[in-house]
Amino acid sequence: MKKRYLPVAIALVLTGSLLSTSCIGSFALTNKLLSWNQQVGNKFVNELVFFAFWIIPVYEVSCLADVIVLNSIEFWSGDNPVASGKKVIDGKDGRYIVECDGKGYTITSENDKSVVRLDFDKDDQTWSVAIPGGESYELMTFIDDTHVALPAPDGTRSIVELSDNGLMAYRDMVSSNLMAAR
């Protein structure tokens, strides 16, 4: 009799969570776990850890926690409690520390200790960049699901389609204006 209650309870919880949120979510916990696994060692060690985590059910538990709890919290509150954190990125021109606080990113260069802040305003659907000294500039504003407003070299805003062709046209516009300014 007890064996029958567990599958029914799991089915009810999953159905309730799917019906109440209707949100895919960012799966921050699962993505952090996968990112950690990719940095453990070489590709053979990473693959062994990957298989071990599937056998032990670490990935299954993290995915279930994301689906049932964390993505629901993210849907209702707008913030995922696991999404914030710190990551070191090795770029071709140096190392950077990227800190996420759930509302934006602080990027610090380990080379010259310069700091840049990227923030997202949910009300305006705008990403902006702030540099030390208090100056802030709008980078991109989402118009709809397929278009954004980006700054043009002349100070105006250009509507750009989110596609390869749209980004190529924007790059060409910026390049030609920069070449004309020389």
Side-chain angles (χ1 to χ4, degrees), residues 4-172:
R4 189 173 190 193
Y5 288 116
L6 183 60
V8 171
I10 290 173
L12 286 174
V13 168
L14 288 175
T15 303
S17 68
L18 292 174
L19 292 176
S20 66
T21 62
S22 71
C23 173
I24 293 174
S26 62
F27 288 87
L29 179 63
T30 305
N31 287 327
K32 278 192 173 194
L33 184 61
L34 288 169
S35 293
W36 172 83
N37 184 19
Q38 292 171 345
Q39 298 174 2
V40 169
N42 63 31
K43 65 182 182 178
F44 300 108
V45 174
N46 293 347
E47 189 69 12
L48 288 173
V49 170
F50 179 77
F51 282 127
F53 278 11
W54 272 115
I55 293 169
I56 299 172
V58 173
Y59 285 123
E60 291 91 332
V61 170
S62 71
C63 190
L64 189 62
D66 270 332
V67 168
I68 293 175
V69 179
L70 299 172
N71 287 346
S72 297
I73 291 171
E74 182 178 2
F75 175 77
W76 292 108
S77 71
D79 295 319
N80 190 310
V82 179
S84 59
K86 184 187 289 191
K87 185 172 186 175
V88 177
I89 297 175
D90 290 316
K92 63 182 176 184
D93 57 345
R95 288 181 67 146
Y96 299 92
I97 299 171
V98 180
E99 296 179 72
C100 176
D101 60 11
K103 297 186 185 328
Y105 301 90
T106 302
I107 304 168
T108 306
S109 170
E110 286 190 349
N111 298 339
D112 61 1
K113 304 298 182 214
S114 61
V115 177
V116 174
R117 173 76 187 167
L118 297 172
D119 287 305
F120 184 68
D121 183 347
K122 290 181 186 178
D123 296 332
D124 295 338
Q125 293 291 300
T126 300
W127 278 99
S128 60
V129 61
I131 55 175
E135 294 181 62
S136 180
Y137 304 97
E138 286 187 2
L139 289 177
M140 172 175 54
T141 302
F142 289 93
I143 305 299
D144 56 34
D145 289 342
T146 58
H147 295 86
V148 294
L150 294 171
D154 63 0
T156 62
R157 310 278 293 160
S158 295
I159 305 298
V160 177
E161 180 183 345
L162 293 174
S163 67
D164 289 339
N165 291 336
L167 293 176
M168 185 67 74
Y170 179 73
R171 184 185 315 165
D172 290 344

